[in-house]
Amino acid sequence: MSERRYEREDLADHGRALKGAGGVVGGLLIGGFVVATIAARIFGPAPSEGLEGALPTDVLRQLRVTLEAEWSARAVAWEWLDRGRGVARIPVSRAVELSLARGFPTRRDPPRHVTARTIR
């Protein structure tokens, strides 16, 4: 009887197969970059996204100036929010003066160390 030999692996030379697969993948990547570069040259750069691309720069500058003027006007304004409860909006500089004059609240109890046992 003749001795039969069967194939024990799917591919006898794994190294050569990996090199071939790497070459195919590398070729596809390089080809993709080449096509993208050519398309960018032909069709021009991609449009910018976001607010800066949608509005002209001078409109954005004017909007910023308007908002900053409104915010600075509100920062120095006095107005009642709830006159019945005595809640008013006061300028930031006056609030700082009052806080420094009255002092800040302090803790009466000494702070406890936080450990895994105290957290529940």
Side-chain angles (χ1 to χ4, degrees), residues 50-99:
L51 189 59
E52 293 165 352
L55 294 173
T57 309
D58 56 339
V59 174
L60 291 176
R61 283 192 189 120
Q62 182 60 37
L63 179 63
R64 182 176 180 155
V65 167
T66 305
L67 287 176
E68 285 179 354
E70 180 182 322
W71 293 337
S72 63
R74 289 189 77 186
V76 295
W78 294 77
E79 67 177 314
W80 285 105
L81 297 178
D82 188 354
R83 188 178 289 246
R85 293 185 183 171
V87 179
R89 175 177 291 136
I90 62 174
V92 175
S93 59
R94 181 66 181 143
V96 168
E97 291 171 7
L98 289 174
S99 296

Side-chain angles (χ1 to χ4, degrees), residues 10-25:
D10 291 338
L11 187 62
D13 189 7
H14 294 292
R16 195 166 55 182
L18 286 174
K19 287 178 186 176
V24 169
V25 170

